[in-house]
Amino acid sequence: MPLTIPPHLLPTDGRFGSGPSKVRPGQVDHLVANAHVLGTSHRRAPVKDLVHRIREGVTELLGAPDGYEVALGNGGATAFWDLATLCLVERRAQHAAFGEFGGKFAAATSRAPFLEPSQVIAAEPGTVAYLETAEGVDTYATPHNETSTGAVAPVLRPAGSDGAIVLTDGTSGAGALPVDLSQTDAYYFAPQKVFAADGGLWLAVLSPAAVERAARIEGSGRWVPEFLSLTTALENSRQDQTLNTPAVATLLLLADQVEWLLDQGGLEWSTKRSAASAEILYSWARAREWATPFVARPEERSPVVGTIDLAAEIDVDRVLADLRANGVQDVFAYRKLGRNQLRVGMYPAVDPDDVAALTACVDYLVETA
Ligand SMILES: *Cc1c(COP(=O)(O)O)cnc(C)c1O
């Protein structure tokens, strides 16, 4: 029998998933209010206007430097890894790999028969691997926020890497972590984390150097399937379209979230809101004998995805089952990490008061067991 958590302890909204993440009720209202756009052509004004709003809003929210462009396409961040492998890596990539997602992109370039073996700078989960300038590397790649472990890395060009490009996986960080986009050439993300939409899309803020690199590689005779062509995606994006049919509902959810973030005060606001949630979570863990932030170095602890190890005598599966039975969902550790751990999505859609309520629920379950 699951324990019943006293109702006054429960969060207002029990969705704490790291992705897909909580969709705000306001986004669903926006979807309903614009239901007449659903089922209409993505080659006509209503949907193209929507894509335009997203491209403009993302440019403003992330403070894209002059000359940077927002491209988008179908397939999520995972598709962008293949697209980048084909269209952006010239001969050899270097990857910082300190969790599942950074590791997956490293595997994608390492498998490409037309590239030299990738250089992988690996670090244990819960720590951060840092890019280092190296001879013969033309592309440097790192996650901004490693969603599988809750570790955050700086977005910085490796010193002396002139002529090379930097690719930053901003999925789960973009929109809630500070960023200076002049330090990267492709800041790409899928919208089901900070942007609280559904999955299935990728977006990328591209520098002129990235656009030029893709044009050169795609013009060089390397075979690039049309679906994975960055140049084709960009040509469509410039016309506020995608190469093939997008999920219009996802575009509506995404557009509303981008505009909500801007209305609240933009990146400065969202950064503070997630940091406030993170302070609640990590200080709670520090004050418990039986809970420890998984990421040892405070400066590497993510403000958007918090990972908290529980002492071995606490059965996390039981805690998770009890939480779920009480409507508090998806705070399980990344499946392949295999730790006695809670992982909490603290994206801007999540109210910091709800993070505090979550900690009170965990206290109750641990103390009542
Ligand atoms: C969720 C996530 C991905 C994968 O996104 P998909 O849209 O499912 O392909 C990639 N990178 C990071 C950092 C993520 O958090």
Side-chain angles (χ1 to χ4, degrees), residues 270-349:
S270 62
T271 301
K272 282 201 191 118
R273 182 161 158 104
S274 287
S277 290
E279 176 54 27
I280 292 167
L281 182 76
Y282 294 126
S283 61
W284 165 79
R286 283 196 304 268
R288 301 287 172 287
E289 290 277 315
W290 42 266
T292 317
F294 172 49
V295 177
R297 296 176 66 178
E299 70 276 17
E300 294 177 347
R301 265 175 217 156
S302 170
V304 279
V305 175
T307 44
I308 305 294
D309 277 348
L310 300 183
E313 66 268 22
I314 298 172
D315 177 0
V316 77
D317 290 333
R318 191 194 57 78
V319 172
L320 292 169
D322 284 348
L323 286 171
R324 179 168 285 272
N326 286 273
V328 181
Q329 299 178 66
D330 297 343
V331 290
F332 45 80
Y334 190 75
R335 60 201 146 90
K336 288 187 203 156
L337 208 54
R339 296 186 72 90
N340 205 48
Q341 184 177 90
L342 301 174
R343 182 174 59 142
V344 183
M346 302 179 291
Y347 303 126

Side-chain angles (χ1 to χ4, degrees), residues 76-78 81 101 145 147 169 171-172 190 192-193:
T78 302
W81 291 329
F101 294 109
N145 188 71
T147 321
D169 184 351
T171 314
S172 84
Q192 70 274 24
K193 317 262 166 113

Side-chain angles (χ1 to χ4, degrees), residues 215-300:
R216 184 151 44 80
I217 290 178
E218 295 190 53
S220 73
R222 183 184 289 176
W223 177 69
V224 175
E226 188 180 39
F227 186 66
L228 296 173
S229 159
L230 187 55
T231 303
T232 303
L234 192 61
E235 279 164 12
N236 280 282
S237 302
R238 284 174 178 157
Q239 299 171 56
D240 295 320
Q241 298 183 55
T242 46
L243 168 68
N244 62 323
T245 317
V248 177
T250 306
L251 295 173
L252 281 166
L253 295 173
L254 168 58
D256 188 65
Q257 182 71 349
V258 170
E259 286 164 5
W260 179 75
L261 290 168
L262 286 169
D263 287 346
Q264 301 298 309
L267 199 58
E268 201 179 308
W269 176 83
S270 62
T271 301
K272 282 201 191 118
R273 182 161 158 104
S274 287
S277 290
E279 176 54 27
I280 292 167
L281 182 76
Y282 294 126
S283 61
W284 165 79
R286 283 196 304 268
R288 301 287 172 287
E289 290 277 315
W290 42 266
T292 317
F294 172 49
V295 177
R297 296 176 66 178
E299 70 276 17
E300 294 177 347

